[in-house]
Amino acid sequence: MSRSIAVGIVGATGLVGETFIQLLEKSEYNFTELRLFASEKSKGRSINFRDQSFACQVLENGCFKGLDVVFFSSGDDISKEWAPKAVEDGAIAIDNSAAYRMNPTTPLVVPEINFHHIASATTPQIIANPNCSTIQLVMALEALKEFGIEEVRVASYQSVSGAGKEGIEDLVNQSQQVLRGENLQPGKTFILPIAFDCQPKIGSFNDEGFCSEEIKIMQETKKILDLPGLKISAFTVRVPTMNAHGEACWVTLNRDVDRATIEKALQACDFISYLPHNSEKSFHSYREVQGETNAFVSRLRKDPGFENTWMMWVVADNLQRGAAANGLLIAQRIFDKLS
Ligand SMILES: NC(=O)c1ccc[n+]([C@@H]2O[C@H](COP(=O)([O-])OP(=O)(O)OC[C@H]3O[C@@H](n4cnc5c(N)ncnc54)[C@H](OP(=O)(O)O)[C@@H]3O)[C@@H](O)[C@H]2O)c1
């Protein structure tokens, strides 16, 4: 007999949390309970879901009791402290933060690729959602994995929504300042004003000069694809676009494969939308992928300078596939087992 599901969202008022709410609202599932959590400043704020109104709560001990699944989207510190408490309360915590991703015992999951990393899907546990730019990269790489991937180089061009609501506010406010001819004011999120500019820094720098986003892509890709020895190098750049991330990728295979075979492999993946080169507009823009769950691959070509190396452009909606939709796809497989 099917049963309804009780769900919590931590960070319900943020960009990722709001995307979760929209996706759950449209989903086929019945929810016996929806518990929404945010910070003290949002306490009591009401949020509509399927013609009902839900008041935001703050986190407190025991607040997850009775929930089957809790989506965490409030940052690393909140997840570190509260995701284990959700598990103690009997829930499965699907965590969008970086807090547990590289923990050896925590599955880091893109469901179409490695759902099997979750040993027992209905057991209370933490399941980590990968970094947004990692997710779209591994989706494209998964299609080519059968040809033996030796090296990956990726340069990302990441929208401000990747930095949350304040990232969007900064871009909007600073763009208006530029267009009104005013002096640019510092924002809350980026080290320099982001309007009409690019910044090769996402997250914090380590001593070697890598930023944390680059480290995440390099480490997480190996874990998800089960390729611990993969040579991978990432360079991440924040660009003044609102939503979606683009990645220029160089993928070196361990053998010579022809274009038709690679295209066939990309076309065979139902989680990839592939656009072959056949016109002046043979590429995907950020606007075109809004609200989509697939990774969009185009501009495939063989690199003339490096043996067995293929170049491509990979774009995806970071709030959907890069965060909430990936989390919900994990949850759906769990819901189906719970129902
Ligand atoms: N944005 C993306 O593309 C993306 C992609 C993948 C993963 N992620 C990860 O997802 C998480 C959320 O990102 P976001 O972009 O949605 O950020 P955001 O728009 O800044 O939202 C942050 C959320 O956290 C809540 N929060 C803050 N302090 C809290 C507290 N003490 N207790 C409970 N909730 C609290 C905020 O509530 P208030 O509104 O009350 O302050 C808000 O709902 C981050 O870990 C981020 O790294 C984001």
Side-chain angles (χ1 to χ4, degrees):
M1 199 176 70
S2 78
R3 75 174 174 99
S4 297
I5 291 144
V7 167
I9 300 176
V10 180
T13 53
L15 284 185
V16 175
E18 286 178 351
T19 310
F20 268 122
I21 292 170
Q22 289 160 14
L23 290 173
L24 288 172
E25 198 160 33
K26 284 191 284 181
S27 77
E28 64 192 78
Y29 297 95
N30 292 321
F31 299 102
T32 44
E33 199 169 347
L34 178 66
R35 241 175 265 169
L36 303 178
F37 301 95
S39 77
E40 192 66 45
K41 84 167 191 239
S42 304
K43 189 175 173 181
R45 187 177 139 187
S46 97
I47 292 180
N48 290 331
F49 181 88
R50 292 183 180 169
D51 299 329
Q52 267 185 279
S53 183
F54 293 84
C56 282
Q57 310 175 24
V58 292
L59 295 164
E60 53 194 15
N61 285 331
C63 66
F64 304 114
K65 285 211 162 81
L67 296 179
D68 296 303
V69 171
V70 182
F71 299 105
F72 280 84
S73 54
S74 286
D76 295 1
D77 292 343
I78 303 287
S79 290
K80 267 183 206 150
E81 182 178 353
W82 291 92
K85 294 188 184 184
V87 176
E88 272 170 37
D89 285 349
I92 292 168
I94 298 182
D95 182 25
N96 272 282
S97 84
Y100 293 95
R101 288 180 190 152
M102 291 313 296
N103 182 338
T105 58
T106 304
L108 177 66
V109 174
V110 176
E112 297 94 328
I113 298 176
N114 66 335
F115 193 76
H116 60 275
H117 284 187
I118 302 171
S120 166
T122 52
T123 304
Q125 64 188 298
I126 298 169
I127 299 170
N129 220 33
N131 166 269
C132 42
S133 23
T134 308
I135 292 178
Q136 64 187 71
L137 176 65
V138 295
M139 289 168 77
L141 295 179
E142 174 69 11
L144 306 184
K145 204 176 163 194
E146 62 178 299
F147 308 120
I149 300 173
E150 265 194 0
E151 288 180 25
V152 176
R153 291 185 174 80
V154 55
S156 74
Y157 306 82
Q158 301 185 212
S159 293
V160 295
S161 66
K165 277 198 167 166
E166 290 187 344
I168 289 193
E169 276 166 30
D170 282 356
L171 177 58
V172 169
N173 292 339
Q174 292 164 350
S175 298
Q176 286 168 345
Q177 290 159 14
V178 172
L179 294 171
R180 287 195 296 251
E182 297 169 3
N183 288 335
L184 272 171
Q185 299 303 312
K188 293 181 185 161
T189 316
F190 309 110
I191 196 159
L192 293 171
I194 188 71
F196 302 98
D197 209 346
C198 295
Q199 297 177 24
K201 173 180 185 284
I202 301 184
S204 52
F205 284 129
N206 70 11
D207 292 344
E208 289 156 339
F210 276 91
C211 55
S212 46
E213 187 82 353
E214 292 161 349
I215 304 288
K216 287 176 193 173
I217 294 174
M218 295 189 287
Q219 292 182 337
E220 294 178 21
T221 297
K222 296 182 200 186
K223 178 169 175 176
I224 297 161
L225 293 177
D226 275 324
L227 293 174
L230 179 71
K231 290 183 192 161
I232 175 165
S233 174
F235 196 134
T236 59
V237 181
R238 184 73 73 197
V239 295
T241 47
M242 208 57 92
N243 190 48
H245 296 341
E247 294 178 333
C249 306
W250 288 255
V251 184
T252 302
L253 305 175
N254 66 17
R255 58 181 182 274
D256 190 21
V257 183
D258 62 47
R259 170 187 279 274
T261 306
I262 292 193
E263 290 195 316
K264 206 169 150 202
L266 288 164
Q267 277 156 344
C269 277
D270 54 9
F271 51 82
I272 286 178
S273 300
Y274 174 66
L275 188 59
H277 177 73
N278 55 16
S279 74
E280 277 305 301
K281 205 274 158 196
S282 293
F283 61 87
H284 299 112
S285 72
Y286 288 14
R287 199 167 282 126
E288 290 169 280
V289 308
Q290 299 302 311
E292 299 287 343
T293 303
N294 273 6
F296 287 71
V297 178
S298 60
R299 301 229 39 221
L300 178 77
R301 62 230 193 257
K302 197 165 191 184
D303 189 334
F306 296 89
E307 208 179 5
N308 300 336
T309 298
W310 289 85
M311 301 166 72
M312 58 183 148
W313 175 238
V314 182
V315 191
D317 182 328
N318 50 292
L319 293 175
Q320 295 276 340
R321 172 46 88 162
N326 195 76
L328 187 57
L329 283 167
I330 297 171
Q332 278 170 341
R333 294 188 185 215
I334 294 168
F335 292 161
D336 290 344
K337 289 178 194 287
L338 291 171
S339 296

